[in-house]
Amino acid sequence: MRLDATGKVSLDQIYTRPDPRPYFRTLRDLGYCIPQLAKQHFAELVREYRESTGVRVPTILDIGCSYGINAALLQCDLTIDDLYEHYCDQGADERDRDWLLARDRELVRSRGTDAGMRFVGLDSSGPALSYALSAGFLDGAVHADLETRDPTPGQRAEIARADLVISTGCVGYVGERTLSAVAGAHGVRKPWMAHFVLRMFPFDPIADRLAEAGYETESLPGLYRQRRFASPEEQSQVLDTLSRAGVDPRGLEAEGWFYARLFVSRPRVAAASAVAEPASPANNDPSTIEVEDEIEQQPSVVAPYLR
C-alpha cells in the first residue's frame, strides 16, 4: 500500500467512488471506529449549544464528511456497526447505486429521530457529497478544498450558516488555512467547533489561528481509537512521526492503533460561560482511554451539490 505525504496509507480511492460500499468494506477491515466514539461528544455539544444560545435547530458543518457518516449516526441514531452491516452485506453488494440510494432514503425516513439538526458537509470529494445529499444524510454541501483556494462567495455564505463545526479525522489533511477560512466566513457570530485529531498531528498551529479569530481551545481528557494500522510500514512511519514530535506511543500507537484527542474551540464569550461537562468515555470501552491531564480536481460547487 502506498503511503501518502503524512506517512499514512493512502486510501484516496475509497472516498471518490459513486457510493459508500468500498469505503465501508475497507474501513471495517481496519476497525475504523472514531465516528462512533465521537457521537456522544457531538450530541453533548449540540445540547450545550442549544441551551446556551436558544438555537433549537443548529446547523452543523462536518469538515471531511465523506459520505455523511457523522450525520447518519446522529440523525438516525445508528452505530458504526449498523452502517457496516448496512453497506457490506451481500444483498447490498449485488444491487446498483439507485437501489442503495432508495434504501438509504427509507432509512432516513424511518430512523430519522432528530429533526433538530441540519447537516452541511464540506469535502473535496464530489462523488461522496453527491451521494450523501441524494441519500438524505446531508441537507447541504460545500464541494471545496480550502487548503488550496479560498471559498467562493457562495461557499462562504453556506459555511457562514454553521452554528457548530465538527470533524473526525480530517485534520492533518486540512489545517489552519481551512479552519481559518471557516471561522472567517462568519461575522460576529462564530460557530463552536469540535475536532478529533490524531496524535501525530499537532493542533497548536490551528489553535493559535483560531485564537487570533477570537476562540479559546481546550483539549479534553481522554484518547480515542481511530483505526488499526493498515501495514507495518504505516505503523513504522507514524511511530517515527510521533517520536520527532516528542509523543510517547507506548501502550497506544505502538500496540497497532491510531489514537486521537478531542479539541473543543468556542468563541471567547461562550468559552467563558461554558459550564457543561464533556460526556465521559465509557470505562469498559477499550477504544477509549482515560488519560489524566492528557490531554481531496475540485470545482466550486455549493449545496445543493447538483444544480
Side-chain angles (χ1 to χ4, degrees):
M1 294 182 176
R2 179 176 65 86
L3 300 181
D4 62 23
T6 71
K8 296 173 64 182
V9 164
S10 176
L11 298 174
D12 291 351
Q13 71 280 4
I14 69 173
Y15 294 97
T16 57
R17 302 296 292 272
D19 66 66
R21 286 173 289 192
Y23 174 96
F24 281 105
R25 285 195 296 266
T26 300
L27 292 179
R28 177 188 58 179
D29 292 343
L30 296 174
Y32 181 67
C33 58
I34 193 70
Q36 180 63 42
L37 302 178
K39 178 181 175 180
Q40 63 174 335
H41 295 278
F42 292 156
E44 175 64 19
L45 195 67
V46 169
R47 182 200 64 75
E48 180 188 341
Y49 184 86
R50 285 175 176 149
E51 292 182 355
S52 177
T53 67
V55 175
R56 305 316 303 168
V57 185
T59 294
I60 302 169
L61 179 70
D62 185 359
I63 303 179
C65 68
S66 67
Y67 296 90
I69 312 310
N70 289 319
L73 294 180
L74 284 161
Q75 300 215 78
C76 299
D77 194 23
L78 298 168
T79 68
I80 194 71
D81 287 338
D82 291 334
L83 293 179
Y84 285 138
E85 181 178 357
H86 183 71
Y87 289 109
C88 299
D89 67 48
Q90 185 176 2
D93 200 42
E94 295 173 349
R95 302 295 189 124
D96 61 17
R97 181 177 184 271
D98 289 341
W99 180 89
L100 202 67
L101 278 171
R103 188 176 70 161
D104 283 346
R105 294 188 194 107
E106 175 58 23
L107 176 68
V108 173
R109 187 199 66 78
S110 62
R111 290 290 300 268
T113 59
D114 191 352
M117 300 183 214
R118 178 179 181 270
F119 275 88
V120 174
L122 168 59
D123 207 287
S124 62
S125 173
L129 287 173
S130 179
Y131 188 92
L133 282 166
S134 297
F137 297 137
L138 297 180
D139 302 287
V142 177
H143 182 199
D145 179 354
L146 301 184
E147 289 295 298
T148 61
R149 64 180 70 181
D150 294 333
T152 67
Q155 291 170 342
R156 285 177 59 90
E158 184 72 11
I159 292 169
R161 296 187 178 99
D163 299 298
L164 300 104
V165 178
I166 65 173
S167 70
T168 52
C170 70
V171 171
Y173 300 103
V174 307
E176 55 263 38
R177 178 166 179 171
T178 292
L179 271 296
S180 293
V182 169
H186 294 72
V188 175
R189 186 191 64 85
K190 303 288 188 184
W192 296 17
M193 301 190 185
H195 302 288
F196 284 81
V197 183
L198 293 179
R199 297 201 317 145
M200 64 184 291
F201 299 125
F203 196 73
D204 287 349
I206 296 175
D208 290 344
R209 292 288 291 272
L210 290 176
E212 295 171 3
Y215 281 88
E216 290 188 6
T217 297
E218 60 177 324
S219 177
L220 272 63
L223 299 177
Y224 305 85
R225 280 183 178 177
Q226 190 211 47
R227 64 166 173 84
R228 289 188 293 269
F229 290 111
S231 69
E233 293 77 16
E234 181 182 51
Q235 183 177 16
S236 178
Q237 288 284 344
V238 170
L239 292 179
D240 286 346
T241 299
L242 291 167
S243 178
R244 290 192 299 270
V247 178
D248 185 356
R250 290 176 297 179
L252 298 165
E253 291 87 357
E255 302 303 315
W257 286 79
F258 283 100
Y259 280 86
R261 296 185 294 174
L262 171 57
F263 295 89
V264 174
S265 302
R266 298 180 180 87
R268 289 196 178 94
V269 172
S273 61
V275 295
E277 297 181 357
S280 298
N283 292 331
N284 61 351
D285 185 351
S287 298
T288 304
I289 294 181
E290 294 270 18
V291 178
E292 184 177 358
D293 297 327
E294 178 72 32
I295 317 259
E296 301 175 349
Q297 193 182 125
Q298 70 102 51
S300 296
V301 181
V302 178
Y305 174 68
L306 299 177
R307 277 190 170 175

mmCIF file with all atom_site columns, all heavy atoms in Angstrom, residues 106-127:
data_model
loop_
_atom_site.group_PDB
_atom_site.id
_atom_site.type_symbol
_atom_site.label_atom_id
_atom_site.label_alt_id
_atom_site.label_comp_id
_atom_site.label_asym_id
_atom_site.label_entity_id
_atom_site.label_seq_id
_atom_site.pdbx_PDB_ins_code
_atom_site.Cartn_x
_atom_site.Cartn_y
_atom_site.Cartn_z
_atom_site.occupancy
_atom_site.B_iso_or_equiv
_atom_site.pdbx_formal_charge
_atom_site.auth_seq_id
_atom_site.auth_comp_id
_atom_site.auth_asym_id
_atom_site.auth_atom_id
_atom_site.pdbx_PDB_model_num
ATOM 1   N N   . GLU A 1 106 ? -35.100 5.601  2.627  1.00 0.00 ? 106 GLU A N   1
ATOM 2   C CA  . GLU A 1 106 ? -36.071 4.973  3.517  1.00 0.00 ? 106 GLU A CA  1
ATOM 3   C C   . GLU A 1 106 ? -35.510 4.885  4.934  1.00 0.00 ? 106 GLU A C   1
ATOM 4   O O   . GLU A 1 106 ? -36.244 5.053  5.918  1.00 0.00 ? 106 GLU A O   1
ATOM 5   C CB  . GLU A 1 106 ? -36.430 3.582  3.010  1.00 0.00 ? 106 GLU A CB  1
ATOM 6   C CG  . GLU A 1 106 ? -37.353 2.772  3.931  1.00 0.00 ? 106 GLU A CG  1
ATOM 7   C CD  . GLU A 1 106 ? -38.684 3.477  4.218  1.00 0.00 ? 106 GLU A CD  1
ATOM 8   O OE1 . GLU A 1 106 ? -39.108 4.334  3.419  1.00 0.00 ? 106 GLU A OE1 1
ATOM 9   O OE2 . GLU A 1 106 ? -39.306 3.150  5.250  1.00 0.00 ? 106 GLU A OE2 1
ATOM 10  N N   . LEU A 1 107 ? -34.217 4.629  5.046  1.00 0.00 ? 107 LEU A N   1
ATOM 11  C CA  . LEU A 1 107 ? -33.581 4.601  6.360  1.00 0.00 ? 107 LEU A CA  1
ATOM 12  C C   . LEU A 1 107 ? -33.715 5.945  7.054  1.00 0.00 ? 107 LEU A C   1
ATOM 13  O O   . LEU A 1 107 ? -34.077 6.019  8.233  1.00 0.00 ? 107 LEU A O   1
ATOM 14  C CB  . LEU A 1 107 ? -32.104 4.233  6.202  1.00 0.00 ? 107 LEU A CB  1
ATOM 15  C CG  . LEU A 1 107 ? -31.252 4.241  7.473  1.00 0.00 ? 107 LEU A CG  1
ATOM 16  C CD1 . LEU A 1 107 ? -31.677 3.125  8.419  1.00 0.00 ? 107 LEU A CD1 1
ATOM 17  C CD2 . LEU A 1 107 ? -29.774 4.107  7.120  1.00 0.00 ? 107 LEU A CD2 1
ATOM 18  N N   . VAL A 1 108 ? -33.445 7.022  6.334  1.00 0.00 ? 108 VAL A N   1
ATOM 19  C CA  . VAL A 1 108 ? -33.567 8.355  6.914  1.00 0.00 ? 108 VAL A CA  1
ATOM 20  C C   . VAL A 1 108 ? -35.019 8.637  7.289  1.00 0.00 ? 108 VAL A C   1
ATOM 21  O O   . VAL A 1 108 ? -35.313 9.199  8.353  1.00 0.00 ? 108 VAL A O   1
ATOM 22  C CB  . VAL A 1 108 ? -33.047 9.416  5.933  1.00 0.00 ? 108 VAL A CB  1
ATOM 23  C CG1 . VAL A 1 108 ? -33.333 10.825 6.452  1.00 0.00 ? 108 VAL A CG1 1
ATOM 24  C CG2 . VAL A 1 108 ? -31.542 9.236  5.700  1.00 0.00 ? 108 VAL A CG2 1
ATOM 25  N N   . ARG A 1 109 ? -35.949 8.229  6.425  1.00 0.00 ? 109 ARG A N   1
ATOM 26  C CA  . ARG A 1 109 ? -37.361 8.476  6.700  1.00 0.00 ? 109 ARG A CA  1
ATOM 27  C C   . ARG A 1 109 ? -37.827 7.721  7.941  1.00 0.00 ? 109 ARG A C   1
ATOM 28  O O   . ARG A 1 109 ? -38.563 8.257  8.783  1.00 0.00 ? 109 ARG A O   1
ATOM 29  C CB  . ARG A 1 109 ? -38.218 8.052  5.507  1.00 0.00 ? 109 ARG A CB  1
ATOM 30  C CG  . ARG A 1 109 ? -39.697 8.428  5.645  1.00 0.00 ? 109 ARG A CG  1
ATOM 31  C CD  . ARG A 1 109 ? -40.578 7.611  4.722  1.00 0.00 ? 109 ARG A CD  1
ATOM 32  N NE  . ARG A 1 109 ? -40.585 6.202  5.095  1.00 0.00 ? 109 ARG A NE  1
ATOM 33  C CZ  . ARG A 1 109 ? -41.290 5.716  6.107  1.00 0.00 ? 109 ARG A CZ  1
ATOM 34  N NH1 . ARG A 1 109 ? -42.026 6.517  6.876  1.00 0.00 ? 109 ARG A NH1 1
ATOM 35  N NH2 . ARG A 1 109 ? -41.234 4.431  6.391  1.00 0.00 ? 109 ARG A NH2 1
ATOM 36  N N   . SER A 1 110 ? -37.376 6.467  8.077  1.00 0.00 ? 110 SER A N   1
ATOM 37  C CA  . SER A 1 110 ? -37.886 5.630  9.159  1.00 0.00 ? 110 SER A CA  1
ATOM 38  C C   . SER A 1 110 ? -37.111 5.773  10.456 1.00 0.00 ? 110 SER A C   1
ATOM 39  O O   . SER A 1 110 ? -37.668 5.594  11.540 1.00 0.00 ? 110 SER A O   1
ATOM 40  C CB  . SER A 1 110 ? -37.873 4.156  8.736  1.00 0.00 ? 110 SER A CB  1
ATOM 41  O OG  . SER A 1 110 ? -36.543 3.715  8.468  1.00 0.00 ? 110 SER A OG  1
ATOM 42  N N   . ARG A 1 111 ? -35.815 6.108  10.356 1.00 0.00 ? 111 ARG A N   1
ATOM 43  C CA  . ARG A 1 111 ? -34.976 6.150  11.546 1.00 0.00 ? 111 ARG A CA  1
ATOM 44  C C   . ARG A 1 111 ? -34.587 7.559  11.959 1.00 0.00 ? 111 ARG A C   1
ATOM 45  O O   . ARG A 1 111 ? -34.001 7.737  13.018 1.00 0.00 ? 111 ARG A O   1
ATOM 46  C CB  . ARG A 1 111 ? -33.687 5.348  11.321 1.00 0.00 ? 111 ARG A CB  1
ATOM 47  C CG  . ARG A 1 111 ? -33.881 3.831  11.237 1.00 0.00 ? 111 ARG A CG  1
ATOM 48  C CD  . ARG A 1 111 ? -34.265 3.249  12.576 1.00 0.00 ? 111 ARG A CD  1
ATOM 49  N NE  . ARG A 1 111 ? -33.257 3.488  13.605 1.00 0.00 ? 111 ARG A NE  1
ATOM 50  C CZ  . ARG A 1 111 ? -32.271 2.654  13.891 1.00 0.00 ? 111 ARG A CZ  1
ATOM 51  N NH1 . ARG A 1 111 ? -32.158 1.511  13.234 1.00 0.00 ? 111 ARG A NH1 1
ATOM 52  N NH2 . ARG A 1 111 ? -31.394 2.936  14.837 1.00 0.00 ? 111 ARG A NH2 1
ATOM 53  N N   . GLY A 1 112 ? -34.884 8.527  11.119 1.00 0.00 ? 112 GLY A N   1
ATOM 54  C CA  . GLY A 1 112 ? -34.514 9.886  11.473 1.00 0.00 ? 112 GLY A CA  1
ATOM 55  C C   . GLY A 1 112 ? -35.223 10.317 12.734 1.00 0.00 ? 112 GLY A C   1
ATOM 56  O O   . GLY A 1 112 ? -36.438 10.489 12.737 1.00 0.00 ? 112 GLY A O   1
ATOM 57  N N   . THR A 1 113 ? -34.465 10.473 13.808 1.00 0.00 ? 113 THR A N   1
ATOM 58  C CA  . THR A 1 113 ? -35.080 10.742 15.110 1.00 0.00 ? 113 THR A CA  1
ATOM 59  C C   . THR A 1 113 ? -34.901 12.162 15.592 1.00 0.00 ? 113 THR A C   1
ATOM 60  O O   . THR A 1 113 ? -35.495 12.552 16.576 1.00 0.00 ? 113 THR A O   1
ATOM 61  C CB  . THR A 1 113 ? -34.482 9.801  16.172 1.00 0.00 ? 113 THR A CB  1
ATOM 62  O OG1 . THR A 1 113 ? -33.065 10.031 16.230 1.00 0.00 ? 113 THR A OG1 1
ATOM 63  C CG2 . THR A 1 113 ? -34.743 8.344  15.818 1.00 0.00 ? 113 THR A CG2 1
ATOM 64  N N   . ASP A 1 114 ? -34.033 12.929 14.896 1.00 0.00 ? 114 ASP A N   1
ATOM 65  C CA  . ASP A 1 114 ? -33.747 14.261 15.426 1.00 0.00 ? 114 ASP A CA  1
ATOM 66  C C   . ASP A 1 114 ? -33.870 15.298 14.325 1.00 0.00 ? 114 ASP A C   1
ATOM 67  O O   . ASP A 1 114 ? -32.919 15.565 13.605 1.00 0.00 ? 114 ASP A O   1
ATOM 68  C CB  . ASP A 1 114 ? -32.357 14.306 16.047 1.00 0.00 ? 114 ASP A CB  1
ATOM 69  C CG  . ASP A 1 114 ? -32.149 15.586 16.841 1.00 0.00 ? 114 ASP A CG  1
ATOM 70  O OD1 . ASP A 1 114 ? -33.000 16.480 16.785 1.00 0.00 ? 114 ASP A OD1 1
ATOM 71  O OD2 . ASP A 1 114 ? -31.123 15.670 17.522 1.00 0.00 ? 114 ASP A OD2 1
ATOM 72  N N   . ALA A 1 115 ? -35.075 15.858 14.169 1.00 0.00 ? 115 ALA A N   1
ATOM 73  C CA  . ALA A 1 115 ? -35.264 16.925 13.197 1.00 0.00 ? 115 ALA A CA  1
ATOM 74  C C   . ALA A 1 115 ? -34.646 18.221 13.695 1.00 0.00 ? 115 ALA A C   1
ATOM 75  O O   . ALA A 1 115 ? -34.695 19.235 13.020 1.00 0.00 ? 115 ALA A O   1
ATOM 76  C CB  . ALA A 1 115 ? -36.758 17.124 12.927 1.00 0.00 ? 115 ALA A CB  1
ATOM 77  N N   . GLY A 1 116 ? -34.051 18.180 14.887 1.00 0.00 ? 116 GLY A N   1
ATOM 78  C CA  . GLY A 1 116 ? -33.476 19.368 15.476 1.00 0.00 ? 116 GLY A CA  1
ATOM 79  C C   . GLY A 1 116 ? -32.048 19.635 15.072 1.00 0.00 ? 116 GLY A C   1
ATOM 80  O O   . GLY A 1 116 ? -31.354 20.389 15.743 1.00 0.00 ? 116 GLY A O   1
ATOM 81  N N   . MET A 1 117 ? -31.559 19.015 14.015 1.00 0.00 ? 117 MET A N   1
ATOM 82  C CA  . MET A 1 117 ? -30.230 19.306 13.482 1.00 0.00 ? 117 MET A CA  1
ATOM 83  C C   . MET A 1 117 ? -30.310 19.430 11.966 1.00 0.00 ? 117 MET A C   1
ATOM 84  O O   . MET A 1 117 ? -31.096 18.751 11.319 1.00 0.00 ? 117 MET A O   1
ATOM 85  C CB  . MET A 1 117 ? -29.229 18.191 13.805 1.00 0.00 ? 117 MET A CB  1
ATOM 86  C CG  . MET A 1 117 ? -29.000 17.895 15.250 1.00 0.00 ? 117 MET A CG  1
ATOM 87  S SD  . MET A 1 117 ? -27.720 16.610 15.432 1.00 0.00 ? 117 MET A SD  1
ATOM 88  C CE  . MET A 1 117 ? -28.326 15.757 16.890 1.00 0.00 ? 117 MET A CE  1
ATOM 89  N N   . ARG A 1 118 ? -29.473 20.299 11.427 1.00 0.00 ? 118 ARG A N   1
ATOM 90  C CA  . ARG A 1 118 ? -29.311 20.434 9.985  1.00 0.00 ? 118 ARG A CA  1
ATOM 91  C C   . ARG A 1 118 ? -27.839 20.216 9.672  1.00 0.00 ? 118 ARG A C   1
ATOM 92  O O   . ARG A 1 118 ? -26.985 20.852 10.293 1.00 0.00 ? 118 ARG A O   1
ATOM 93  C CB  . ARG A 1 118 ? -29.764 21.817 9.503  1.00 0.00 ? 118 ARG A CB  1
ATOM 94  C CG  . ARG A 1 118 ? -29.586 22.056 8.013  1.00 0.00 ? 118 ARG A CG  1
ATOM 95  C CD  . ARG A 1 118 ? -30.076 23.451 7.612  1.00 0.00 ? 118 ARG A CD  1
ATOM 96  N NE  . ARG A 1 118 ? -29.925 23.655 6.171  1.00 0.00 ? 118 ARG A NE  1
ATOM 97  C CZ  . ARG A 1 118 ? -28.844 24.161 5.600  1.00 0.00 ? 118 ARG A CZ  1
ATOM 98  N NH1 . ARG A 1 118 ? -27.798 24.513 6.363  1.00 0.00 ? 118 ARG A NH1 1
ATOM 99  N NH2 . ARG A 1 118 ? -28.772 24.305 4.300  1.00 0.00 ? 118 ARG A NH2 1
ATOM 100 N N   . PHE A 1 119 ? -27.518 19.312 8.745  1.00 0.00 ? 119 PHE A N   1
ATOM 101 C CA  . PHE A 1 119 ? -26.131 18.967 8.447  1.00 0.00 ? 119 PHE A CA  1
ATOM 102 C C   . PHE A 1 119 ? -25.704 19.477 7.082  1.00 0.00 ? 119 PHE A C   1
ATOM 103 O O   . PHE A 1 119 ? -26.406 19.291 6.081  1.00 0.00 ? 119 PHE A O   1
ATOM 104 C CB  . PHE A 1 119 ? -25.928 17.454 8.494  1.00 0.00 ? 119 PHE A CB  1
ATOM 105 C CG  . PHE A 1 119 ? -25.649 16.931 9.871  1.00 0.00 ? 119 PHE A CG  1
ATOM 106 C CD1 . PHE A 1 119 ? -26.702 16.572 10.708 1.00 0.00 ? 119 PHE A CD1 1
ATOM 107 C CD2 . PHE A 1 119 ? -24.349 16.807 10.339 1.00 0.00 ? 119 PHE A CD2 1
ATOM 108 C CE1 . PHE A 1 119 ? -26.460 16.096 11.983 1.00 0.00 ? 119 PHE A CE1 1
ATOM 109 C CE2 . PHE A 1 119 ? -24.097 16.340 11.615 1.00 0.00 ? 119 PHE A CE2 1
ATOM 110 C CZ  . PHE A 1 119 ? -25.147 15.980 12.442 1.00 0.00 ? 119 PHE A CZ  1
ATOM 111 N N   . VAL A 1 120 ? -24.540 20.131 7.057  1.00 0.00 ? 120 VAL A N   1
ATOM 112 C CA  . VAL A 1 120 ? -23.887 20.551 5.817  1.00 0.00 ? 120 VAL A CA  1
ATOM 113 C C   . VAL A 1 120 ? -22.518 19.887 5.786  1.00 0.00 ? 120 VAL A C   1
ATOM 114 O O   . VAL A 1 120 ? -21.783 19.917 6.781  1.00 0.00 ? 120 VAL A O   1
ATOM 115 C CB  . VAL A 1 120 ? -23.736 22.082 5.737  1.00 0.00 ? 120 VAL A CB  1
ATOM 116 C CG1 . VAL A 1 120 ? -22.932 22.484 4.502  1.00 0.00 ? 120 VAL A CG1 1
ATOM 117 C CG2 . VAL A 1 120 ? -25.111 22.745 5.714  1.00 0.00 ? 120 VAL A CG2 1
ATOM 118 N N   . GLY A 1 121 ? -22.171 19.280 4.661  1.00 0.00 ? 121 GLY A N   1
ATOM 119 C CA  . GLY A 1 121 ? -20.878 18.631 4.535  1.00 0.00 ? 121 GLY A CA  1
ATOM 120 C C   . GLY A 1 121 ? -19.905 19.480 3.744  1.00 0.00 ? 121 GLY A C   1
ATOM 121 O O   . GLY A 1 121 ? -20.287 20.116 2.758  1.00 0.00 ? 121 GLY A O   1
ATOM 122 N N   . LEU A 1 122 ? -18.659 19.509 4.177  1.00 0.00 ? 122 LEU A N   1
ATOM 123 C CA  . LEU A 1 122 ? -17.578 20.161 3.443  1.00 0.00 ? 122 LEU A CA  1
ATOM 124 C C   . LEU A 1 122 ? -16.558 19.090 3.097  1.00 0.00 ? 122 LEU A C   1
ATOM 125 O O   . LEU A 1 122 ? -16.008 18.432 3.984  1.00 0.00 ? 122 LEU A O   1
ATOM 126 C CB  . LEU A 1 122 ? -16.927 21.252 4.301  1.00 0.00 ? 122 LEU A CB  1
ATOM 127 C CG  . LEU A 1 122 ? -15.604 21.853 3.802  1.00 0.00 ? 122 LEU A CG  1
ATOM 128 C CD1 . LEU A 1 122 ? -15.764 22.487 2.429  1.00 0.00 ? 122 LEU A CD1 1
ATOM 129 C CD2 . LEU A 1 122 ? -15.066 22.868 4.804  1.00 0.00 ? 122 LEU A CD2 1
ATOM 130 N N   . ASP A 1 123 ? -16.310 18.894 1.805  1.00 0.00 ? 123 ASP A N   1
ATOM 131 C CA  . ASP A 1 123 ? -15.390 17.851 1.383  1.00 0.00 ? 123 ASP A CA  1
ATOM 132 C C   . ASP A 1 123 ? -14.876 18.168 -0.016 1.00 0.00 ? 123 ASP A C   1
ATOM 133 O O   . ASP A 1 123 ? -15.541 18.879 -0.781 1.00 0.00 ? 123 ASP A O   1
ATOM 134 C CB  . ASP A 1 123 ? -16.082 16.476 1.393  1.00 0.00 ? 123 ASP A CB  1
ATOM 135 C CG  . ASP A 1 123 ? -15.114 15.329 1.600  1.00 0.00 ? 123 ASP A CG  1
ATOM 136 O OD1 . ASP A 1 123 ? -14.355 15.016 0.654  1.00 0.00 ? 123 ASP A OD1 1
ATOM 137 O OD2 . ASP A 1 123 ? -15.105 14.741 2.697  1.00 0.00 ? 123 ASP A OD2 1
ATOM 138 N N   . SER A 1 124 ? -13.695 17.619 -0.340 1.00 0.00 ? 124 SER A N   1
ATOM 139 C CA  . SER A 1 124 ? -13.150 17.784 -1.686 1.00 0.00 ? 124 SER A CA  1
ATOM 140 C C   . SER A 1 124 ? -13.625 16.693 -2.639 1.00 0.00 ? 124 SER A C   1
ATOM 141 O O   . SER A 1 124 ? -13.337 16.742 -3.831 1.00 0.00 ? 124 SER A O   1
ATOM 142 C CB  . SER A 1 124 ? -11.613 17.778 -1.632 1.00 0.00 ? 124 SER A CB  1
ATOM 143 O OG  . SER A 1 124 ? -11.145 16.542 -1.130 1.00 0.00 ? 124 SER A OG  1
ATOM 144 N N   . SER A 1 125 ? -14.343 15.688 -2.140 1.00 0.00 ? 125 SER A N   1
ATOM 145 C CA  . SER A 1 125 ? -14.852 14.598 -2.974 1.00 0.00 ? 125 SER A CA  1
ATOM 146 C C   . SER A 1 125 ? -16.268 14.884 -3.444 1.00 0.00 ? 125 SER A C   1
ATOM 147 O O   . SER A 1 125 ? -17.230 14.785 -2.669 1.00 0.00 ? 125 SER A O   1
ATOM 148 C CB  . SER A 1 125 ? -14.829 13.275 -2.197 1.00 0.00 ? 125 SER A CB  1
ATOM 149 O OG  . SER A 1 125 ? -15.482 12.256 -2.945 1.00 0.00 ? 125 SER A OG  1
ATOM 150 N N   . GLY A 1 126 ? -16.421 15.208 -4.729 1.00 0.00 ? 126 GLY A N   1
ATOM 151 C CA  . GLY A 1 126 ? -17.754 15.426 -5.286 1.00 0.00 ? 126 GLY A CA  1
ATOM 152 C C   . GLY A 1 126 ? -18.640 14.205 -5.230 1.00 0.00 ? 126 GLY A C   1
ATOM 153 O O   . GLY A 1 126 ? -19.819 14.300 -4.863 1.00 0.00 ? 126 GLY A O   1
ATOM 154 N N   . PRO A 1 127 ? -18.131 12.996 -5.597 1.00 0.00 ? 127 PRO A N   1
ATOM 155 C CA  . PRO A 1 127 ? -18.994 11.812 -5.535 1.00 0.00 ? 127 PRO A CA  1
ATOM 156 C C   . PRO A 1 127 ? -19.519 11.512 -4.134 1.00 0.00 ? 127 PRO A C   1
ATOM 157 O O   . PRO A 1 127 ? -20.681 11.132 -3.972 1.00 0.00 ? 127 PRO A O   1
ATOM 158 C CB  . PRO A 1 127 ? -18.074 10.691 -6.033 1.00 0.00 ? 127 PRO A CB  1
ATOM 159 C CG  . PRO A 1 127 ? -17.102 11.367 -6.926 1.00 0.00 ? 127 PRO A CG  1
ATOM 160 C CD  . PRO A 1 127 ? -16.842 12.700 -6.259 1.00 0.00 ? 127 PRO A CD  1
#
